[in-house]
Amino acid sequence: IYTISLILKQIYKMNTLKIGDKVPNFSVTDQDGNIITMQDYQDKKVIVFFYPAASTPGCTAEACNLRDYYKDLQDKGYEIIGVSADTEKKQSNFRNKYEFPFPLLADTNRAVIEAFGVWGLKKFMGREYDGIHRKTFLVHSGVVAHVIDKVKTKTHALQILESDVVS
């Protein structure tokens, strides 16, 4: 049983992108069915934030905080993309309800989620399950410049603004 447990941990170990890694190209739809690719952001600075599920308390707090600081982040040259495995309809409802000025990717087949390496084993209240780990990547011209592993949902924009690479 111990050996099986070790094997399973290796299988489910996330291969998260790190600083200096090139972001693989992806093609996925946003909340309105528009196709978004990494190529669209090739020469730009972009904040790619991953969240477990639209309209849940932590995800709402995080996305609303980014919305509230959107102008400040744009002034630093950033565009923002939110990503979860929710459907286009759920993402659209989430975006419309909270008036987010940035796209939310409906990554139902987990292409982007797995490309960034944020899908993996999670633990909550003694239960283990597979899911999206809340992480944010600051990408400059297609390369990871900074990774925020411990996202503070209510003050996430300040975490980004205070990072060394936002300038």
Side-chain angles (χ1 to χ4, degrees), residues 14-17 112-120 133 135 137:
M14 295 186 310
N15 191 15
T16 305
L17 292 181
V112 181
I113 293 163
E114 290 182 7
F116 278 79
V118 297
W119 181 265
H133 288 254
K135 290 183 186 286
F137 298 80

Side-chain angles (χ1 to χ4, degrees), residues 49-60 62 83-87 90-91 94 113 118-119 122 129-135 151 153:
F49 74 100
F50 291 87
Y51 56 97
S55 298
T56 57
C59 298
T60 300
E62 178 183 10
V83 185
S84 79
D86 292 309
T87 63
K90 193 165 182 187
Q91 296 287 49
F94 187 42
I113 293 163
V118 297
W119 181 265
K122 296 175 73 170
Y129 60 96
D130 287 334
I132 299 171
H133 288 254
R134 187 185 309 276
K135 290 183 186 286
V151 172
T153 59

Side-chain angles (χ1 to χ4, degrees), residues 35-82:
I35 296 173
I36 305 293
T37 69
M38 193 61 216
Q39 287 292 112
D40 298 336
Y41 298 90
Q42 183 177 5
D43 297 323
K44 299 178 181 178
K45 292 176 16 177
V46 61
I47 297 162
V48 183
F49 74 100
F50 291 87
Y51 56 97
S55 298
T56 57
C59 298
T60 300
E62 178 183 10
C64 286
N65 181 255
L66 291 172
R67 176 203 61 204
D68 295 346
Y69 283 86
Y70 184 66
K71 175 81 171 90
D72 298 288
L73 294 165
Q74 277 193 312
D75 289 348
K76 296 290 187 180
Y78 277 96
E79 298 203 29
I80 302 174
I81 302 172

